[in-house]
C-alpha cells in the first residue's frame, strides 16, 4: 500500500533534513528518504556534511591542531611535554563518535518534529494526479505519494578521469577521513577548501604533504591579499604547494602512488607518495533519481536546473543544496531548504547569496563574505579599504596566534560594507558579525562605532572598520 504525504524530501543532508523539519514545523506531513549507510549498514542521517564532510573534517582538524600545539607551541607557554605520542586509531574513533552523535541528533529531531524517515534510495516512478509517486528501494520497499517533492540529493567527489578512487591509496574525502596511520608522504591534487583542510590534518600529524594545483593562482576565489598571506603561512608550516601544474599518468604499485606532472615552467616532474587525495571538485548526485521518468530537467553537469526560488521545471518539484547551482556549502543548502519549505507554505522564504559566508578551517583560518577587491574593480565600483593585522591585537598576542588580518571593503560614496576578508585566528567565528552587518547593509562607520569587548579578536574587525576611514587606533 502506498503512503501519502504532503511533501517527500529525497536526501537527508543539511539541505534535506532541514527542509523536512521546517516543513513539519509549518504543519505539513513530511517523509524524508535517505540512503546513507553507516559501517553497520544502518541509517546515518546528515549526508555528506555529517558523515564525510564538515563534521568529521572539523573533528580531525581539532585533534591534529591539539597535537601540533602540544608538539610545536606549548613550550612557548612554558609547558614542556615529554613522550608526546599519537594514536591515530583513537583519533579516528573519536571522529566517528562525533559523527554518530550528529546522526543520532538528526534522528531525534525527526521524531520530535514527526518527520517519517525511510532508509533507502528514493526515485521518481511517475507523475500522478496532483503529485508524484516515489519508490523507496532499500531494507524495506515502499511507495510514497505526495503533492510536493524536494530533491536534496547532494554531491559526490569527482575522480580524475581514468583514476577511480580505491579509498586505500587514491582517496576521496571519504578515504582521507579514514586513514589509520600517518602517511610518510601524502600527495594532494587540488588546493581547494577540502584539499587544504585534509592536507592540514595530515601535515600537522607529521606527513610530508605536496599539493598539486592546476590553477596558476593560489585560492583563486579568495581576496588576493588574503590568499597571499595564507599561502605564506601554509608554506611556513611545511606544505609544498605547486601551482599551474598539469597532472599526467598516475600509477599505483605496492610501494604507493606515482604521479607524473608538469610544473608551471613545463618541466616534467614525478611525485611518489604513500597516499594521494584527489580533491578536484564535486559532482551533483542525480544518478538513481530516475529523473527521466518524470522529465526533471538536468544541466550538462547533471545538476538539477532550478530558478532563483529553487523551483525545477516540474510543478511541485523543488531542489536545494549541492545538487543545484551555487556554492557547495552546508549552510547554503540549509538556507535553501528553509526557504523552500516556507514557500510551499505560502510564505516568502529567501536566501541572500551576497551574504553567504565562506570558511576554510585551516590554521590560519580563512573566512570571507561579500566581494573581493578584484570583483569590485572588475565591476568598476569605487571602494575604500581598511586592514588591521592580528599582530596589533592584544587578544591575538595573548593567544600566541598573530598571523593574518581583517580586511574591510566599503563603498567610497555610501560607506556600505561590500566585503570582509579575514585570515587569522577564529576567522570562522569573527565572520558572523560581518555577515550580520552586511545583511543589515551596515556601513564601516557602524562597526567602528560599536563597542567591542576588550581584549577580543573582534576588536580587529572594529579596527579594520576604523581603518577604512584611516583612523585605526591601535596600528
Ligand atoms: C571534506 C568536506 C568538508 C566540508 N566542509 C564543509 C564545511 O566546513 N562547511 C560547509 O558549509 N560545507 C562543507 N562541505 C560541503 C558540504 O558537506 C555540502 O555542501 C553539504 O553537505 C551539501 O548538503 P546537501 O544536503 O545538498 O547534500 P549531502 O550532504 O550530500 O546530502 C545528500 C544526501 O542525499 C542522499 N541521497 C542521494 N541520492 C539519494 C537518493 N536517490 N535517495 C535517497 N537518498 C539519496 C545521500 O546519500 C546524502 O545522504 C564539506 C564537504 C566535504 C566533502
Amino acid at each position: 500500500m502506498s503512503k501519502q504525504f504532503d511533501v517527500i524530501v529525497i536526501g537527508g543532508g543539511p539541505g534535506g533534513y532541514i527542509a523536512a523539519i521546517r516543513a513539519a514545523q509549518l504543519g505539513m506531513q513530511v517523509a524524508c528518504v535517505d540512503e546513507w549507510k553507516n559501517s553497520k549498514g544502518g541509517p546515518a542521517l546528515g549526508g555528506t556534511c555529517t558523515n564525510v564532510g564538515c563534521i568529521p573534517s572539523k573533528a580531525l582538524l581539532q585533534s591534529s591542531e591539539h597535537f601540533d600545539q602540544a608538539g610545536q607551541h606549548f613550550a612557548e607557554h612554558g609547558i614542556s611535554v615529554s613522550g608526546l605520542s599519537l594514536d591515530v586509531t583513537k583519533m579516528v574513533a573519536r571522529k566517528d563518535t562525533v559523527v554518530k552523535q550528529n546522526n543520532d541528533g538528526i534522528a531525534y529531531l525527526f521524531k520530535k518534529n514527526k518527520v517519517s524517515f525511510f532508509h533507502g534510495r528514493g526515485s521518481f516512478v511517475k507523475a500522478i494526479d496532483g503529485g508524484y509517486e516515489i519508490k523507496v528501494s532499500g531494507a524495506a520497499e515502499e511507495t510514497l505519494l505526495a503533492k510536493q517533492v524536494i530533491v536534496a540529493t547532494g554531491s559526490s567527489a569527482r575522480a580524475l578521469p581514468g583514476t577511480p578512487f580505491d579509498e586505500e591509496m587514491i582517496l576521496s574525502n571519504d578515504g582521507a577521513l579514514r586513514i589509520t596511520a600517518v602517511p610518510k608522504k601524502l600527495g594532494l591534487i587540488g588546493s581547494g577548501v577540502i584539499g587544504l583542510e585534509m592536507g592540514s590534518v595530515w601535515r600537522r600529524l607529521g606527513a610530508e604533504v605536496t599539493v598539486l594545483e592546476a590553477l596558476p593562482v593560489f585560492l583563486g576565489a579568495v581576496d588576493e591579499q588574503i590568499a597571499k598571506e595564507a599561502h605564506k603561512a601554509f608554506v611556513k608550516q611545511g606544505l609544498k604547494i605547486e601551482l599551474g601544474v598539469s597532472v599526467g599518468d598516475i600509477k599505483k604499485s605496492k610501494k604507493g602512488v606515482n604521479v607524473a606532472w608538469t610544473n608551471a615552467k613545463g618541466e616534467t616532474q614525478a611525485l611518489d607518495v604513500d597516499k594521494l587525495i584527489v580533491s578536484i571538485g564535486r559532482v551533483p548526485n542525480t544518478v538513481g533519481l530516475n529523473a527521466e521518468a518524470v522529465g526533471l530537467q538536468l544541466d550538462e553537469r547533471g545538476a538539477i536546473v532550478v530558478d532563483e526560488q529553487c523551483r525545477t521545471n516540474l510543478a511541485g518539484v523543488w531542489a536545494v543544496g549541492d545538487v543545484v547551482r551555487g556554492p557547495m556549502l552546508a549552510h547554503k543548502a540549509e538556507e535553501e531548504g528553509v526557504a523552500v519549505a516556507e514557500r510551499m507554505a505560502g510564505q516568502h522564504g529567501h536566501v541572500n547569496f551576497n551574504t553567504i559566508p565562506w570558511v576554510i578551517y585551516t590554521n590560519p583560518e580563512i573566512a570571507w563574505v561579500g566581494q573581493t577587491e578584484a570583483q569590485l574593480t572588475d565591476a568598476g565600483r569605487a571602494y575604500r579599504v581598511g586592514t588591521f593585522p592580528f599582530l596589533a591585537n592584544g587578544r591575538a598576542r595573548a593567544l600566541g596566534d598573530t598571523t593574518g588580518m581583517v580586511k574591510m571593503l566599503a563603498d567610497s560614496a555610501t560607506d556600505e560594507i561590500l566585503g570582509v576578508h579575514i585570515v587569522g585566528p577564529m576567522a570562522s567565528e569573527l565572520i558572523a558579525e560581518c555577515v550580520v552587518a552586511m545583511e543589515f547593509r551596515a556601513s564601516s562607520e557602524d562597526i567602528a562605532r560599536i563597542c567591542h569587548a576588550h581584549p577580543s579578536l573582534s576588536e580587529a574587525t572594529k579596527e579594520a572598520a576604523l581603518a577604512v576611514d584611516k583612523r585605526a587606533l591601535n596600528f
Side-chain angles (χ1 to χ4, degrees), residues 321-322 324-327 329-337 351 353 356:
D322 280 12
V324 304
R325 82 291 172 261
L329 292 169
H331 41 284
K332 174 263 192 185
E334 292 184 12
E335 290 301 307
E336 286 184 333
V351 182
F353 272 69
I356 293 178

Side-chain angles (χ1 to χ4, degrees), residues 70 74 112 168 393 448 461 465:
F74 275 12
K112 181 179 160 198
E168 289 294 329
N393 173 273
T461 308

